[in-house]
Amino acid sequence: MHDRQVLSQRLGVGVSSGSFSCEAALRCFGAKSIAVLSPYAKIGDVEVTRFFTEAGFIVVRFKGLRCPNPVSIAEVSEDEVRQHMRDLDGDDVDALVQVGTNLSAAVLVPELERVHKKPVIAINTATYWHALRALSIQDRIPGFGRLLEEF
């Protein structure tokens, strides 16, 4: 049983986290192979890769931005995110994933999904979606990609 499920049982309410949210979102789309954009230092990237691999996904490509601090993560431009997603994409990837909550790509997801013709999971969107569903709130929210619109 996942730690999330244990915590949920102990507290008596649904709980969520960024990592489990991304995993659940990827499963909704049936994704097996992924490419990941991360703002973290190398050690963080190792842990992100390990999480997704242990969850059963194949990490085909990984781009670590190595941002030195939280402010520099927030300063990554939308154009940089677009370019990194282009570099990560390929026919061998079922879904693109952005991790790092200070690297917000939520507003770019609809555009990225149109351009790449595949699911794009932004961690903030996935966490919000997962928290809503953990609380049995089934609202569909347009403008932030297929995850919030379809699942």
Side-chain angles (χ1 to χ4, degrees):
M1 185 180 303
H2 283 309
D3 292 337
R4 180 185 60 81
Q5 292 168 315
V6 171
L7 185 58
S8 180
Q9 287 178 347
R10 179 178 291 162
L11 297 173
V13 296
V15 296
S16 191
S17 72
S19 55
F20 293 126
S21 299
C22 288
E23 176 187 357
L26 289 165
R27 294 203 189 291
C28 284
F29 289 105
K32 303 278 188 239
S33 60
I34 63 174
V36 180
L37 176 62
S38 163
Y40 300 131
K42 186 175 182 176
I43 191 164
D45 293 345
V46 169
E47 293 304 316
V48 169
T49 301
R50 180 176 20 211
F51 172 82
F52 283 119
T53 301
E54 288 178 358
F57 300 100
I58 300 165
V59 179
V60 176
R61 275 181 288 290
F62 196 105
K63 174 63 179 178
L65 301 181
R66 307 287 191 264
C67 296
N69 58 58
V71 172
S72 66
I73 294 171
E75 291 173 339
V76 175
S77 73
E78 290 181 355
D79 285 339
E80 289 175 275
V81 171
R82 287 181 185 100
Q83 182 59 53
H84 291 307
M85 289 299 195
R86 275 192 294 275
D87 295 343
L88 286 166
D89 194 16
D91 292 339
D92 54 347
V93 173
D94 297 329
L96 298 167
V97 180
Q98 171 264 310
V99 300
T101 56
N102 222 28
L103 176 65
S104 184
V107 298
L108 295 176
V109 170
E111 171 192 339
L112 293 169
E113 287 182 332
R114 275 191 310 276
V115 168
H116 298 286
K117 299 182 181 7
K118 63 185 61 172
V120 176
I121 308 301
I123 193 167
N124 291 340
T125 304
T127 303
Y128 182 62
W129 163 82
H130 198 252
L132 290 174
R133 300 311 178 256
L135 295 169
S136 299
I137 299 170
Q138 299 299 320
D139 295 9
R140 301 294 191 253
I141 302 169
F144 294 94
R146 292 179 55 204
L147 181 63
L148 277 167
E149 291 175 359
E150 297 177 18
F151 300 97

